[in-house]
Amino acid sequence: MTRRVRRKVAKKGKDDAVSLSYLEIEVEDLGLERNGNVDWTSLPDDTVIQLFSCLNYRDRASLSSTCKTWRVLGASQCLWSSLDLRAHKFDTATATSLASRCMYLQKLRFRGAESADAIIHLQAKNLREISGDYCRKITDATLSVIVARHEALESLQLGPDFCERITGDAIKAIALCCPKLKKLRLSGIKDVYADAINALAKHCPTLVDIGFLDCLNVDEAALENVSSVRFLSVAGTSNMKWDVVSHLWHKLPKLIGLDVSRTDIGSAAISRLLSSSLSLKVLCALNCPVLEEETSISTTKTNGKLLLALFSDIFRELSSLFAETSNKGRNMFLDWRCSKNKDKNLNEIMTWLEWILSHTLLRTAESNPQGLDNFWLKQGAALLLSLMQSSQEDVQERAATGLATFVVIDDENASIDRGRAEAVMRDGGIRLLLNLAKSWHEGLQSEAAKALANLSVNANVAKAVAEEGGINILAALARSMNRLVAEEAAGGLWNLSVGEEHKAAIAEAGGVKALVDLIFKWSSGGDGVLERAAGALANLAADDKCSMEVAIVGGVHALVMLARNCKFEGVQEQAARALANLASHGDSNSNNAAVGQEVGALEALVQLTRSPHEGVRQEAAGALWNLSFDDRNREAIAAAGGVEALVTLAQSCSNASPGLQERAAGALWGLSVSEANSIAIGREGGVAPLIALARSDAEDVHETAAGALWNLAFNHSNALRIVEEGGVPALVHLCSSSLSKMARFMAALALAYMFDGRIDEFAPMSSSSESTSKSVSLDGARRMALKHIEAFIRTFSNPQAFAAAAASSAPAALAQVTEKARIQEAGHLRCSGAEIGRFVSMLRNSSSILKACAAFALLQFTIPGGRHAVHHASLMQGGGAARVLRAAAAAATSPIEAKIFARIVLRNLEHHHQVEPSI
């Protein structure tokens, strides 16, 4: 920036609409010193005020505090003509502190009953417009006090959520206190009775816009008395007497626009209103099921009036309002906004139409009625996108919220309608939403980010968002001091981070640090933002590089803090999932150990396995499973009560989801690597639930249950428990029938451990009769086990390849056998020296089946390329296994499988011995 400074400024145009333009300022005007530095304090006052006008209230206050001059300018009345407090805690104390600046306040937006109670303390007697949402708890008394203190009020809007505690008495108070009222829109009033409406007719002579939306009862006859009304909406209101309406409302002398959307009006009432009203120009009847089902409506004469319904071409109908032929098609709203048309009546109609259409489309999207797919694809999406470009901020917000809502099919499972999402993308919706997200209006930022988040569930839309620069925009919004904006931005990053191709871009945009900072910033009182931030970090942590970034910027501490302190199950689930993913990268980084070393991490995860919420239990168990791969973590988990907690979890999840079953068994599998933990699991009653899980229908559960039982069976006491608890038939079934090769493999290994003779050596002494009975039982179980072990081994043998390998020592012949026998996933298994030694000893077993099984297992553990093959080869070379393998390969009594597999293992050991020095 050596010659000119180019910046965006806001300019007020027609109807006080703020538009963005560029202002180029000569550097001399900025007080540019010869050394190239700008003296910002020398800016002209009007330039500073213009700068302030582009900031939100918090940033405005922060900038005002930099110097005395800017403090004075920051309090200028033009900067305080409107106030949007929805995202802020607004109570009496806050209102009192703002009162000195609100003398000339004209427009106020607030949220919730507490904020409503505080409005009077602003002492803004010149207030013209009040708009509030989340008004369910606002009472007649509160509303009456507000209107009594603001007699100059011209517009009052409360909704779109229902005002359940406001009655007709408050409407009477409005009428008595606000004689200048021009616009009144209230949602969800139970009973708008005649006296309340008559009071409006009597005391508010300039009332031209009335909306009683989603009300339970409205006195139709009394509305005839409000002769000043030009625009009337009863959208969503039930119990309307349409016969009364059609006979009376056509008499309203100034009625131009009528909205009966989402009601049970029929074609007869529609026809009578269209034919009888002399002033009516537009009748909006969107999503009126009774009307749409009547075939006679297609022949209804509109007498030159507009009827907007789901079955009509809304854009074409609206275009007929304009004399110019250029105002046609889907650009009709944009053409109107850009036109130089000075027709006041037309502008009023279009402004009202924008409002009622945005409201009705949002409400329809929220209720998501069946049968509207065609409407949304052909018209609804385009209407919402057009309305997003309105000059009315609340219309823009509702349109963006409508886009966020109408694409959602199932909120619980985060599933969206692909056709609707891609319709938004095709019509340029992504760019429009990103432009809104860059607005300085925080309400627009929030709703645009929400829409982008929901749309990004679709992979194609997510790609478009990323290509349009959306990741940088959302990462910037995630740093917002406005919790609602940050929350929706974090949700957008959460959905985008599902795609592997977007994770690096999020990290590069500073998204990881922004998400971690959100957790610290809103550690209390921000469940929504915390869940989204933790969810996004969980997705990012699944990537090796991003997981390291998460750890570097303090993510481990932040996530453990959530797991320990937060009571909201959604946050707990995502925090546990994030910790699980951080710990999932094995030796590629140090995050597994780092999580285990974080104070309170393991204790918190153990505690979460006792949560009443299945999702929390599942992710906590998954985290403990991953963490148990680290030796120190494994013992620390046991010390924190992990064995007892996980056994209890396994006992309780027989009817749970496969995901929870898999992780519960997986965590016990991980802990059981330690012999002390294995013994403790058996003692705590862990054998029976693992056998039950082995009978699951889910393939993934087969693997973890078989893995855990394999580890437990190494101990003779546990092996005996498995037999006594009926584990042999369960393992036999896995060994012969599971679709998972790994489950079948580990079930075979567990059976081999149980019947290699150790169980007989350590079986407790008992009476002669008991001993005979147990012996018979064990013999039967042994025969069953060996039969299925043999059948399992043979599924990996090829007679021709075996014959070729037996006749020749050529590497090609052995390689062919290896390829047939290889179980890819077995290369990830890591065995201890004792386990390797047990298989080596098994090569000397009298059972030819166990010899073959042992050789087959050692083959899997030593195949070059396996993750722990070098480790296993080192253990075998140090334990003299080569001699035993040669003996097995040469023994005349050994089955051919044992001979060939033993030769392959010897070749594997030779390979590892040759490459070991370079490793």
Side-chain angles (χ1 to χ4, degrees):
M1 190 172 67
T2 58
R3 296 183 60 118
R4 288 180 179 270
V5 177
R6 195 166 184 257
R7 63 184 178 82
K8 282 186 178 180
V9 299
K11 288 185 177 180
K12 285 199 173 182
K14 290 189 302 181
D15 302 323
D16 290 336
V18 176
S19 62
L20 289 177
S21 63
Y22 284 98
L23 192 65
E24 290 193 346
I25 304 173
E26 297 291 343
V27 292
E28 290 80 9
D29 294 340
L30 296 180
L32 185 66
E33 304 293 343
R34 291 185 178 180
N35 62 7
N37 294 324
V38 176
D39 180 9
W40 292 101
T41 61
S42 66
L43 283 170
D45 290 354
D46 59 344
T47 302
V48 176
I49 291 174
Q50 190 72 278
L51 175 64
F52 276 123
S53 71
C54 295
L55 301 176
N56 60 46
Y57 311 109
R58 185 185 294 103
D59 292 342
R60 195 180 296 172
S62 178
L63 198 56
S64 296
S65 66
T66 56
C67 66
K68 182 177 180 181
T69 301
W70 282 19
R71 189 177 301 114
V72 173
L73 293 174
S76 300
Q77 70 178 63
C78 63
L79 295 175
W80 296 92
S81 61
S82 67
L83 201 57
D84 185 351
L85 298 166
R86 290 174 298 166
H88 309 280
K89 178 176 174 58
F90 180 63
D91 53 18
T92 301
T94 305
T96 303
S97 67
L98 290 172
S100 62
R101 301 182 181 188
C102 294
M103 184 180 301
Y104 298 100
L105 184 65
Q106 294 189 10
K107 184 178 180 180
L108 176 68
R109 301 185 74 179
F110 73 93
R111 174 166 290 163
E114 184 181 18
S115 296
D117 291 333
I119 288 176
I120 60 172
H121 298 282
L122 287 173
Q123 299 180 25
K125 295 182 179 180
N126 294 307
L127 205 55
R128 298 288 190 273
E129 298 179 34
I130 295 179
S131 176
D133 55 24
Y134 289 80
C135 299
R136 292 183 182 274
K137 295 183 179 180
I138 296 178
T139 63
D140 281 355
T142 297
L143 185 54
S144 297
V145 171
I146 291 173
V147 296
R149 298 289 183 90
H150 304 97
E151 296 179 1
L153 205 61
E154 296 177 359
S155 173
L156 177 62
Q157 301 183 68
L158 300 179
D161 48 309
F162 296 173
C163 304
E164 296 176 343
R165 300 176 68 180
I166 293 176
T167 69
D169 292 346
I171 297 175
K172 289 173 70 175
I174 293 168
L176 292 169
C177 296
C178 304
K180 297 180 181 180
L181 194 67
K182 295 179 181 179
K183 183 188 299 179
L184 177 65
R185 294 170 179 162
L186 303 174
S187 296
I189 309 295
K190 290 182 179 179
D191 187 12
V192 185
Y193 52 76
D195 285 353
I197 295 174
N198 289 331
L200 291 172
K202 180 179 180 180
H203 299 288
C204 302
T206 59
L207 183 59
V208 296
D209 188 338
I210 296 176
F212 293 131
L213 303 104
D214 297 292
C215 296
L216 190 60
N217 291 289
V218 174
D219 193 291
E220 306 89 346
L223 278 170
E224 182 198 4
N225 299 326
V226 190
S227 58
S228 61
V229 69
R230 291 165 57 83
F231 302 101
L232 175 60
S233 177
V234 289
T237 293
S238 53
N239 301 314
M240 295 291 292
K241 300 180 183 66
W242 295 113
D243 186 58
V244 174
V245 167
S246 61
H247 282 90
L248 294 179
W249 288 7
H250 72 87
K251 299 177 184 179
L252 289 166
K254 299 180 181 179
L255 185 64
I256 296 174
L258 175 61
D259 179 22
V260 294
S261 299
R262 301 181 295 110
T263 65
D264 58 356
I265 194 170
S267 59
I270 291 285
S271 299
R272 191 174 294 113
L273 286 166
L274 290 172
S275 61
S276 302
S277 176
L278 299 177
S279 59
L280 188 64
K281 292 187 177 181
V282 181
L283 199 164
C284 188
L286 291 171
N287 193 21
C288 296
V290 174
L291 177 67
E292 289 147 16
E293 290 172 4
E294 294 179 359
T295 56
S296 61
I297 189 61
S298 60
T299 60
T300 298
K301 294 182 179 180
T302 61
N303 298 306
K305 301 175 175 66
L306 267 64
L307 173 60
L308 305 182
L310 293 183
F311 49 76
S312 61
D313 186 331
I314 295 173
F315 285 105
R316 187 176 67 183
E317 292 291 330
L318 292 176
S319 295
S320 66
L321 288 171
F322 299 88
E324 300 90 343
T325 57
S326 60
N327 289 310
K328 302 292 183 183
R330 298 192 172 193
N331 291 325
M332 182 270 307
F333 278 105
L334 184 60
D335 290 342
W336 162 65
R337 296 182 197 110
C338 298
S339 72
K340 298 179 180 180
N341 193 320
K342 300 298 182 182
D343 186 336
K344 181 180 178 183
N345 287 335
L346 178 59
N347 288 341
E348 287 181 349
I349 292 172
M350 293 300 294
T351 300
W352 176 75
L353 278 170
E354 283 191 333
W355 196 94
I356 61 110
L357 285 173
S358 66
H359 186 279
T360 290
L361 290 172
L362 174 57
R363 280 300 197 196
T364 303
E366 288 172 341
S367 61
N368 194 24
Q370 297 295 314
L372 291 190
D373 282 347
N374 190 54
F375 166 75
W376 286 121
L377 293 175
K378 289 189 174 181
Q379 299 193 78
L383 279 168
L384 289 169
L385 292 174
S386 292
L387 294 170
M388 249 174 29
Q389 300 169 75
S390 170
S391 60
Q392 301 179 75
E393 186 181 340
D394 55 345
V395 170
Q396 288 181 297
E397 285 186 24
R398 270 195 301 275
T401 308
L403 283 175
T405 307
F406 96 109
V407 296
V408 177
I409 297 173
D410 183 352
D411 194 32
E412 287 293 324
N413 296 313
S415 117
I416 68 170
D417 186 285
R418 177 179 178 179
R420 296 180 187 181
E422 295 186 355
V424 174
M425 181 173 64
R426 283 194 304 271
D427 289 341
I430 303 305
R431 174 46 51 194
L432 289 173
L433 285 166
L434 290 173
N435 286 338
L436 275 191
K438 291 188 288 186
S439 164
W440 63 273
H441 291 284
E442 291 178 327
L444 294 178
Q445 292 175 355
S446 174
E447 298 308 322
K450 180 191 296 181
L452 289 166
N454 287 358
L455 289 163
S456 294
V457 172
N458 178 280
N460 292 331
V461 177
K463 181 180 178 182
V465 170
E467 289 174 348
E468 293 275 4
I471 288 176
N472 284 319
I473 292 171
L474 289 170
L477 292 180
R479 302 183 189 97
S480 173
M481 294 297 292
N482 182 318
R483 182 177 60 82
L484 298 178
V485 174
E487 179 175 322
E488 300 302 345
L493 294 174
W494 186 3
N495 288 340
L496 283 166
S497 62
V498 171
E500 294 297 324
E501 66 274 26
H502 305 313
K503 291 178 180 178
I506 292 171
E508 289 171 9
V512 174
K513 186 175 189 309
L515 291 164
V516 171
D517 289 345
L518 278 183
I519 293 175
F520 291 119
K521 189 185 301 180
W522 305 104
S523 57
S524 59
D527 293 340
V529 68
L530 293 176
E531 180 179 14
R532 288 163 174 78
L537 289 171
N539 288 347
L540 293 166
D543 176 83
D544 186 30
K545 291 183 179 179
C546 289
S547 74
M548 295 173 67
E549 177 73 13
V550 172
I552 289 169
V553 299
V556 173
H557 179 65
L559 292 164
V560 169
M561 179 182 70
L562 291 183
R564 293 180 66 186
N565 301 328
C566 188
K567 303 304 179 186
F568 179 60
E569 64 271 16
V571 178
Q572 293 175 337
E573 180 177 345
Q574 296 308 322
R577 186 169 73 91
L579 291 170
N581 287 347
L582 280 172
S584 68
H585 300 284
D587 300 330
S588 62
N589 63 47
S590 60
N591 286 345
N592 192 307
V595 173
Q597 291 166 13
E598 183 68 30
V599 175
L602 301 179
E603 292 81 359
L605 289 167
V606 168
Q607 185 61 35
L608 290 181
T609 63
R610 302 184 176 99
S611 168
H613 303 283
E614 181 172 316
V616 178
R617 297 197 300 274
Q618 176 173 310
E619 298 303 340
L624 291 171
W625 180 11
N626 287 346
L627 288 163
S628 67
F629 284 92
D630 179 88
D631 294 342
R632 284 181 296 180
N633 287 345
R634 191 182 306 124
E635 303 313 316
I637 291 168
V643 170
E644 297 85 347
L646 288 166
V647 167
T648 300
L649 180 61
Q651 290 169 339
S652 67
C653 70
S654 56
N655 295 319
S657 68
L660 175 55
Q661 293 178 339
E662 178 197 11
R663 288 162 177 78
L668 288 171
W669 181 13
L671 288 184
S672 64
V673 170
S674 157
E675 186 172 8
N677 289 343
S678 176
I679 294 169
I681 290 169
R683 190 187 306 120
E684 290 293 329
V687 169
L690 285 169
I691 293 171
L693 292 176
R695 297 189 178 102
S696 167
D697 294 330
E699 186 177 323
D700 290 338
V701 182
H702 291 173
E703 291 186 8
T704 54
L709 289 169
W710 171 37
N711 281 352
L712 291 178
F714 188 86
N715 175 267
H716 64 275
S717 297
N718 285 336
L720 191 58
R721 287 190 182 99
I722 294 172
V723 175
E724 292 171 346
E725 294 285 353
V728 173
L731 287 167
V732 161
H733 179 72
L734 281 187
C735 185
S736 60
S737 304
S738 177
L739 297 177
S740 165
K741 284 185 180 180
M742 274 292 287
R744 292 164 58 203
F745 176 53
M746 291 186 290
L749 298 189
L751 291 169
Y753 274 176
M754 291 162 61
F755 297 111
D756 67 350
R758 296 284 183 92
I759 196 171
D760 300 321
E761 296 175 17
F762 294 96
M765 297 297 294
S766 55
S767 66
S768 176
S769 60
E770 288 178 351
S771 177
T772 302
S773 175
K774 285 185 178 181
S775 175
V776 171
S777 176
L778 283 174
D779 285 344
R782 181 182 289 107
R783 285 193 299 272
M784 182 193 304
L786 294 179
K787 175 183 175 182
H788 286 87
I789 292 172
E790 181 180 25
F792 168 73
I793 298 297
R794 285 183 175 173
T795 60
F796 293 89
S797 64
N798 182 323
Q800 292 179 341
F802 270 50
S808 168
S809 298
L814 295 178
Q816 188 178 0
V817 174
T818 303
E819 189 60 32
K820 171 68 176 177
R822 183 170 192 165
I823 300 174
Q824 193 72 34
E825 299 86 346
H828 296 288
L829 296 173
R830 181 184 175 93
C831 297
S832 66
E835 289 173 304
I836 293 295
R838 181 116 174 221
F839 285 115
V840 171
S841 297
M842 213 179 287
L843 290 170
R844 300 191 185 99
N845 197 283
S846 59
S847 168
S848 62
I849 295 172
L850 290 179
K851 286 180 180 177
C853 181
F856 181 77
L858 292 171
L859 180 151
Q860 303 299 332
F861 300 147
T862 58
I863 291 178
R867 184 173 179 180
H868 302 292
V870 174
H871 164 72
H872 295 147
S874 176
L875 292 175
M876 293 175 69
Q877 287 165 347
R883 179 171 50 82
V884 180
L885 285 163
R886 291 190 190 96
T893 56
S894 293
I896 189 170
E897 292 90 353
K899 291 181 178 181
I900 302 301
F901 290 150
R903 285 170 58 190
I904 295 172
V905 175
L906 284 167
R907 192 187 67 159
N908 292 344
L909 293 180
E910 291 172 3
H911 169 84
H912 293 302
H913 178 69
Q914 290 171 2
V915 300
E916 192 172 4
S918 63
I919 295 176

